[in-house]
């Protein structure tokens, strides 16, 4: 049975035709499925899993991976035997590929990634639910979700990852929401930005969540009390230079579940894909996610 690849032709579309040609020429020859819009990758993934494919590959950025994860998870809900769950493979060809980086895949070397999909090890990692949606690597409420929401595709196509930086600079000048983070057994915590990590990396090679593990059943949480430009710059500079350190403006903790609310309408994102708006309740999914990974 040929391994199916779900391709988002819009991912990194300035190089889309060349990437498509490379994918079609992979050996052994894959079974190609091209998405047709938002939600298409999820539908295709669920169908392929129901057809009994042991591996389904997402070719795109983190958003495409998230759609495929949600499609597989929707099918896995009906299968109590985890041994029958479909494994996720990743070909990183999108704007951002944090999940691929976290899984030890060799960057944009699609041929090497394809070899890992065929011969690599399978990891079982924690999968998380945000209301009724799923995410595998990261999530955020407020600031980063607003960046996703306010960065148009045309801007991403022209500037790549720099487009997110440009949008972030503009959002930092806007009034920040007040977020309430409710965790069982302790008083609510308040902040203007909530970042959530199932893995160590967030938005690139910088290890934002220094204690995170994909397999410990805990979600790492960073709560920034303020969203003023100076605090944001200091936080990012510290991450790049020395790694995260505790301070009065930031809470860092590990939790099994949490709920984020706000009196304002605040969006959240899951694996870089825009979700809905608060309130959002986050908890472990009832099963693990199987992923083909590098060393």
């Amino acid at each position: 049975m040929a391994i199916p690849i779900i391709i988002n032709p819009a991912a990194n579309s300035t190089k889309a035709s060349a990437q498509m040609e490379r994918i079609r020429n992979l050996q052994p020859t894959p079974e190609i499925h091209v998405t047709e819009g938002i939600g298409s990758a999820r539908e295709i993934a669920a169908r392929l899993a129901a057809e009994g494919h042991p591996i389904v590959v997402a070719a795109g950025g983190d958003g495409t991976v998230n759609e495929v994860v949600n499609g597989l998870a929707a099918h896995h809900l009906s299968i109590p035997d985890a041994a029958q769950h479909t494994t996720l493979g990743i070909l990183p060809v999108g704007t951002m590929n944090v999940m691929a980086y976290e899984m030890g895949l060799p960057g944009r070397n699609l041929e090497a990634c394809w070899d890992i999909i065929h011969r690599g090890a399978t990891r079982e990692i924690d999968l998380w639910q945000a209301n009724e949606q799923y995410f595998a690597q990261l999530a955020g409420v407020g600031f980063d979700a607003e960046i996703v929401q306010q960065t148009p595709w045309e801007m991403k196509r022209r500037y790549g990852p720099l487009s997110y930086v440009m949008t972030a600079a503009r959002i930092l000048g806007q009034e920040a929401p007040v977020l309430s983070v409710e965790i069982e057994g302790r008083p609510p915590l308040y902040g203007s930005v909530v970042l959530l990590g199932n893995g160590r990396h967030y938005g690139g090679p910088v290890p934002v969540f220094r204690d995170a593990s994909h397999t410990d059943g805990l979600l790492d949480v960073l709560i920034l009390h303020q969203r003023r430009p100076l605090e944001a710059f200091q936080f990012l500079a510290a991450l790049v230079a020395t790694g995260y350190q505790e301070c009065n403006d930031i809470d860092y903790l590990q939790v099994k579940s949490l709920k984020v609310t706000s009196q304002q309408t605040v969006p959240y994102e899951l694996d870089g894909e825009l979700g809905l708006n608060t309130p959002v309740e986050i908890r472990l999914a009832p099963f693990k996610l199987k992923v083909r990974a590098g060393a």
Side-chain angles (χ1 to χ4, degrees):
M1 182 182 292
I3 294 179
I5 299 178
I6 301 173
I7 301 176
N8 177 3
N12 202 6
S13 64
T14 54
K15 302 178 181 177
S17 59
Q19 298 284 25
M20 287 281 284
E21 188 65 20
R22 286 180 66 188
I23 291 172
R24 292 186 188 279
N25 289 330
L26 292 171
Q27 296 297 325
T29 304
E31 177 183 304
I32 302 295
H33 299 264
V34 180
T35 63
E36 297 180 350
I38 296 174
S40 178
R42 173 175 178 154
E43 295 173 2
I44 295 170
R47 174 172 56 79
L48 291 172
E51 291 173 358
H53 288 274
I55 302 176
V56 171
V57 178
D62 288 320
T64 303
V65 172
N66 180 261
E67 277 204 35
V68 172
V69 166
N70 274 270
L72 297 179
H75 177 67
H76 293 166
L77 283 173
S78 64
I79 304 177
D81 183 4
Q84 299 182 36
H85 288 188
T86 300
T87 298
L88 170 71
I90 303 172
L91 288 178
V93 298
T95 304
M96 297 291 287
N97 297 277
V98 182
M99 182 72 172
Y101 187 89
E102 188 82 23
M103 291 295 107
L105 298 180
R108 302 301 175 97
N109 188 335
L110 301 187
E111 291 74 18
C113 291
W114 188 236
D115 185 67
I116 287 172
I117 288 168
H118 278 270
R119 300 178 178 85
T122 298
R123 294 188 196 175
E124 289 192 351
I125 68 172
D126 295 331
L127 184 64
W128 293 86
Q129 284 186 254
N131 293 342
E132 300 308 315
Q133 296 173 286
Y134 297 87
F135 67 97
Q137 174 66 23
L138 55 88
V141 185
F143 182 53
D144 60 337
E146 293 175 57
I147 294 174
V148 174
Q149 187 179 61
Q150 297 185 34
T151 304
W153 170 245
E154 294 77 11
M155 190 173 175
K156 289 192 288 185
R157 182 175 60 185
R158 183 173 182 180
Y159 298 107
L162 180 61
S163 61
Y164 296 117
V165 178
M166 297 164 67
T167 302
R170 175 167 49 82
I171 292 175
L172 282 173
Q174 302 172 1
E175 183 179 358
V178 176
L179 302 174
S180 173
V181 181
E182 302 171 15
I183 300 168
E184 186 177 358
R186 63 181 302 163
L189 298 170
Y190 297 94
S192 59
V193 180
V194 178
L195 304 178
L196 311 167
N198 188 35
R200 297 183 66 216
H201 298 92
Y202 197 106
V206 180
V208 174
F209 303 101
R210 65 172 189 274
D211 299 328
S213 166
H214 283 104
T215 59
D216 62 359
L218 298 172
L219 193 63
D220 285 45
V221 183
L222 273 173
I223 304 171
L224 279 68
H225 300 175
Q226 303 291 333
R227 197 180 77 179
R228 295 188 295 262
L230 178 59
E231 282 80 1
F233 176 78
Q234 291 174 334
F235 171 67
L236 294 173
L239 284 176
V240 173
T242 61
Y244 167 74
Q245 300 292 327
E246 284 87 355
C247 65
N248 291 333
D249 293 327
I250 301 173
D251 291 311
Y252 182 83
L253 58 158
Q254 295 180 310
V255 303
K256 294 182 178 180
S257 64
L258 73 157
K259 183 177 182 180
V260 183
T261 63
S262 177
Q263 294 184 351
Q264 300 154 272
T265 300
V266 182
Y268 59 86
E269 61 86 9
L270 310 172
D271 292 332
E273 189 79 353
L274 192 64
L276 301 175
N277 298 316
T278 53
V280 55
E281 187 170 352
I282 298 171
R283 62 194 185 279
L284 266 174
F287 46 81
K288 300 273 190 177
L289 175 69
K290 297 197 291 187
V291 186
R292 279 293 165 88

